[in-house]
Amino acid sequence: MSALSARARELDAADPLAWCRDEYLPAEGVVAYLDGNSLGRPLRATAERIERLVHHDWGTRLIRSWEEQWMELPLRLGDRIGGACLGAAPGQTVVGDSTTVMLYKLLRAAVSAAGPGRDEIVLDSENFPTDRYVAEGIAAETGARLVWVEPDPAKGVTPDLVTGVLGERTAVVLLSHVAYKSAWVAELPEITRLVHEAGALVLWDLCHSVGVVPSELDAHEVDLAVGCTYKFLGGGPGAPAFGYVAARHQERLRQPIQGWMGHAEPFVMGPGYRPGPGMRAFISGTPPVLGMVGIEDSVELIERVGLDAVRAKATALGRYVIESVDEHLARHGVRVVSPREDERRGGHVTIAHPRSREICARLWEEGVVPDFREPDGIRLGLSPLSTSFAEVGRALTQVEELLSR
Ligand SMILES: *Cc1c(COP(=O)(O)O)cnc(C)c1O
């Protein structure tokens, strides 16, 4: 056995969350799945829950299920995500829409609610494309000005960079908690404080942190947040996003897509729009019930083990990758391009090599599934609940073999 796999075996033996991996459906032919930060694996429980939904809730209860459970589902599930993953008290989180649309709704609401003379949206050039595109669209629509922060791509946005651009004209600051490329964990508490000092609102994108890095939104007085449920939360392809609006802003902020499902009395079907109470007003159309099935099971598993334990395993997996690269792959020219400090690194590690594109293609052929990132990165998603150290070890051993040929 190689030194790499011997170490993985030790780490797996000492892992208190090792049992969680058996809760997932086996993936035939997959040697190592390292893309759980793009599409999380399905739980066995989800396969059963989908079956139950089709046969019972939908197939038998039919339209009665709307009244019996589905009307409340976006709010009930939102509260559960908030409690298990966001440090959010009930009544501030709702599930629905894609991340892109939810982001539009909250960012647009924040821009419209900004005081006189506040017409700038602060964002960073390394954020996920959809975030940048949505902000560009809102700027074109409202006349707001975009103020770009340019972080070091191997790191991320720092408090200093944000301070440099905040001012009397700042309306809202849009940032990712964990950078999708580098895995940099932004200093959410400090940046939130600085934005508030400047009199603006902050909107945190939690796509790459929810379910793996705690965010404690209430404790840090975050204003707004959005996040994906199909990455670390394992909701399945196209599972809807969640939106968080701090209770103190809910009366004042108006989201732009006023639909009947966000109305105070949807079934009265009356003449004008009247927003529903609290987070109901942030719903637009019919909630995507089928897409919410898997989220519930993942959140349940996180509730059982606790988010801190999930975070601890993500950290350990990341450290194992970094140590293995240093000891076995650095001599072949592989570099770690994610933060080395545990507290600054989220749930994935990106490594770089000039031959990354070719290596990635070969790995996929052999059932090892990370993803390639331009120009020369291999992103290793380390979903803590579904990934073993042995799995990561096998992937790194393959990389070492490919580079030794
Ligand atoms: C994955 C991701 C998205 C995805 O948006 P969709 O509308 O769900 O396709 C958006 N923002 C960030 C930061 C992401 O990581």
Side-chain angles (χ1 to χ4, degrees):
M1 200 191 323
S2 71
L4 234 160
S5 29
R7 179 78 184 123
R9 186 176 284 203
E10 268 171 41
L11 290 164
D12 276 326
D15 172 16
L17 300 188
W19 62 274
C20 295
R21 196 158 174 268
D22 294 328
E23 300 289 301
Y24 290 83
L25 283 174
E28 213 178 302
V30 174
V31 174
Y33 186 60
L34 301 175
D35 230 341
N37 56 328
S38 271
L39 181 64
R41 286 176 55 183
L43 284 159
R44 292 176 194 270
T46 299
E48 287 159 25
R49 199 189 286 261
I50 287 180
E51 181 87 20
R52 205 159 57 236
L53 173 86
V54 173
H55 288 286
H56 180 263
D57 305 350
W58 177 15
T60 307
R61 296 309 297 160
L62 292 159
I63 195 131
R64 293 169 289 186
S65 278
W66 277 111
E67 221 178 272
E68 287 165 3
Q69 50 168 325
W70 294 337
M71 278 303 282
E72 292 309 313
L73 184 59
L75 302 164
R76 188 174 62 70
L77 191 53
D79 283 348
R80 221 163 154 191
I81 295 172
C85 306
L86 311 176
Q92 304 178 103
T93 313
V94 72
V95 178
D97 309 311
S98 63
T99 308
T100 302
V101 172
M102 186 64 84
L103 182 69
Y104 171 75
K105 285 160 68 169
L106 299 194
L107 189 62
R108 183 71 174 75
V111 168
S112 304
R118 289 195 180 266
D119 60 353
E120 290 180 352
I121 302 171
V122 170
L123 70 170
D124 73 285
S125 55
E126 289 295 313
N127 207 342
F128 192 85
T130 227
D131 299 55
R132 292 180 275 115
Y133 304 159
V134 163
E136 283 172 15
I138 289 177
E141 182 190 350
T142 61
R145 201 168 75 87
L146 299 182
V147 177
W148 294 91
V149 172
E150 311 267 353
D152 177 341
K155 295 184 178 168
V157 180
T158 58
D160 277 353
L161 284 172
V162 176
T163 309
V165 296
L166 289 174
E168 287 176 353
R169 289 181 61 182
T170 312
V172 54
V173 176
L174 163 65
L175 296 171
S176 276
H177 184 204
V178 172
Y180 80 106
K181 279 197 272 190
S182 70
W184 174 266
V185 181
E187 289 167 60
L188 179 146
E190 178 62 4
I191 294 177
T192 300
R193 197 183 62 74
L194 290 167
V195 173
H196 288 167
E197 237 173 55
L201 298 183
V202 70
L203 196 175
W204 284 102
D205 186 322
L206 307 178
C207 283
H208 271 82
S209 75
V210 64
V212 68
V213 180
S215 46
E216 296 300 330
L217 302 181
D218 286 354
H220 300 308
E221 301 185 356
V222 166
D223 304 296
L224 303 160
V226 296
C228 268
T229 62
Y230 53 77
K231 294 173 178 166
F232 290 106
L233 272 195
F242 63 85
Y244 164 94
V245 180
R248 64 186 178 282
H249 294 310
Q250 290 175 11
E251 278 289 309
R252 190 169 69 94
L253 294 186
R254 282 287 150 257
Q255 60 93 358
I257 308 179
Q258 326 187 130
W260 73 303
M261 280 286 169
H263 192 280
E265 292 176 297
F267 296 107
V268 171
M269 305 192 169
Y273 179 75
R274 213 155 31 81
M279 290 309 286
R280 164 113 4 233
F282 290 85
I283 299 174
S284 294
T286 302
V289 173
L290 289 171
M292 292 191 224
V293 179
I295 306 172
E296 193 123 33
D297 296 308
S298 285
V299 171
E300 201 164 292
L301 185 55
I302 294 173
E303 284 168 349
R304 263 168 82 187
V305 303
L307 187 58
D308 289 338
V310 181
R311 170 62 169 149
K313 180 164 177 194
T315 304
L317 283 162
R319 207 181 301 140
Y320 170 64
V321 169
I322 293 172
E323 284 168 9
S324 304
V325 169
D326 288 348
E327 280 172 40
H328 305 280
L329 302 176
R331 73 177 81 109
H332 298 287
V334 176
R335 293 169 295 124
V336 172
V337 291
S338 287
R340 285 175 170 269
E341 316 90 283
D342 289 345
E343 72 279 12
R344 287 272 75 77
R345 187 183 64 248
H348 62 281
V349 175
T350 304
I351 59 176
H353 188 277
R355 282 171 58 200
S356 282
R357 187 188 299 271
E358 171 212 330
I359 294 169
C360 254
R362 296 292 296 275
L363 290 175
W364 277 51
E365 280 166 21
E366 292 170 28
V368 173
V369 189
D371 67 14
F372 171 73
R373 286 291 142 170
E374 293 284 357
D376 63 352
I378 300 177
R379 206 171 59 149
L380 308 171
L382 306 168
S383 249
L385 295 169
S386 58
T387 310
S388 65
F389 290 90
E391 206 175 347
V392 177
R394 280 193 289 273
L396 296 172
T397 305
Q398 291 281 29
V399 174
E400 189 182 18
E401 275 178 29
L402 287 168
L403 289 172
S404 314
R405 279 180 205 166

